[in-house]
Amino acid sequence: MPTALITGATAGIGAAFARHLAADAYSLVLVARDELRLAKAADQLKLRYGVRVEVLPADLATEEGLAKVESRLRDGVDLLVNNAGFGNAGHFPYVPVENELRMLKVHCEAVLRLTLAALPGMRERGRGAIVNVASVAAFFGSRSTYSASKAWVVNFSESAAATVAGSGIRVMALCPGFVRTEFHQRASMDSSGIPWFLWLKAEDVVRAGLRDLALGKRVSVPDLRYKLIVAIGRLVPRGLQATVSRRIGR
């Protein structure tokens, strides 16, 4: 039975990954900060799907939390989903620097270190996969550090995928648009200005992402709407991108 480790596994896209992979008979290692939510999610998954679920409470913005997850990954997993992430309320340069550094720790350092921890075991077995959850924001400029950190995730994932090509290991950046999750609420962001037709369901994002992973894609942009937005966005000057981004929301 294959094993998947998912960070940020108790809500949103991470929880959708857990449900989808459990339905595919994966054993799960769920990582999140809230131990009570982890235990509840594990109980529900075991009851519904009959799979083995391990919980690993850890804050990836701390050295202790990162080291704990690194240690578990060195024991071996077949799939790593680096999903943990968050947004900051406010815009650069008005967000406190400690909040910006925390974001970079979770979005960039954690992705780097957990990927490095998982790779040796995957190389030894000659198989494995890593999904790094980024965002469509990675392709557009904005007034926040969020898009810059997600651009790093995409670039890193593409570079890592090229490095392990031919080894039986796949690395992919998953870049969804606006998804109905707790993300905006937790960041105290007003999402009322986002048009209804831009919202995606977490389950659809996961389904599309895993399909693209199986196809060997290095970057996955779920949904035709966002594929078109990204394609058009590549032709639009950065200054205009930032203006549009401010108008429809982060």
Side-chain angles (χ1 to χ4, degrees):
M1 182 179 292
T3 300
L5 185 147
I6 307 164
T7 67
T10 56
I13 293 173
F17 263 110
R19 291 190 295 271
H20 192 104
L21 294 170
D24 285 344
Y26 272 78
S27 294
L28 301 176
V29 183
L30 307 181
V31 179
R33 291 180 299 168
D34 191 325
E35 193 165 357
L36 290 177
R37 289 189 76 177
L38 275 174
K40 182 178 179 181
D43 288 343
Q44 291 173 342
L45 290 164
K46 286 186 282 190
L47 181 64
R48 181 172 180 180
Y49 300 103
V51 296
R52 185 176 65 85
V53 183
E54 176 185 344
V55 297
L56 190 59
D59 183 350
L60 298 182
T62 68
E63 186 61 32
E64 179 185 6
L66 271 173
K68 186 189 297 187
V69 183
E70 284 176 312
S71 177
R72 176 59 185 85
L73 286 168
R74 293 188 187 104
D75 290 337
V77 299
D78 299 281
L79 172 62
L80 165 62
V81 180
N82 280 313
N83 167 72
F86 62 93
N88 284 321
H91 305 293
F92 178 86
Y94 306 108
V95 175
V97 67
E98 58 270 21
N99 294 357
E100 298 281 36
L101 291 174
R102 180 180 176 85
M103 174 178 286
L104 293 176
K105 184 92 171 178
V106 175
H107 289 186
C108 301
E109 184 179 341
V111 169
L112 171 65
R113 289 174 56 174
L114 300 189
T115 297
L116 288 172
L119 280 176
M122 292 181 179
R123 282 202 185 98
E124 187 176 331
R125 293 187 301 278
R127 56 182 168 78
I130 299 170
V131 176
N132 297 321
V133 179
S135 169
V136 162
F139 305 105
F140 297 92
S142 75
R143 294 181 293 166
S144 76
T145 304
Y146 180 83
S147 62
S149 68
K150 291 303 186 179
W152 182 91
V153 172
V154 173
N155 193 307
F156 168 72
S157 300
E158 290 184 290
S159 300
T163 300
V164 302
S167 67
I169 304 169
R170 291 161 292 162
V171 180
M172 186 187 79
L174 176 59
C175 303
F178 295 113
V179 185
R180 293 289 185 187
T181 67
E182 300 174 0
F183 177 89
H184 291 87
Q185 181 181 356
R186 284 186 172 185
S188 300
M189 294 179 183
D190 179 10
S191 59
S192 61
I194 301 171
W196 64 267
F197 56 85
L198 289 180
W199 289 103
L200 304 176
K201 295 180 180 178
E203 289 75 11
D204 295 336
V205 168
V206 169
R207 190 178 302 110
L210 290 174
R211 182 177 62 246
D212 285 345
L213 181 68
L215 291 172
K217 294 187 179 181
R218 296 178 180 180
V219 177
S220 170
V221 179
D223 195 271
L224 180 59
R225 287 166 288 182
Y226 281 101
K227 285 180 170 61
L228 290 172
I229 287 171
V230 171
I232 294 170
R234 293 183 187 277
L235 305 176
V236 175
R238 283 282 184 172
L240 181 57
Q241 286 182 14
T243 300
V244 173
S245 177
R246 284 196 299 272
R247 288 184 180 277
I248 69 172
R250 293 162 56 198

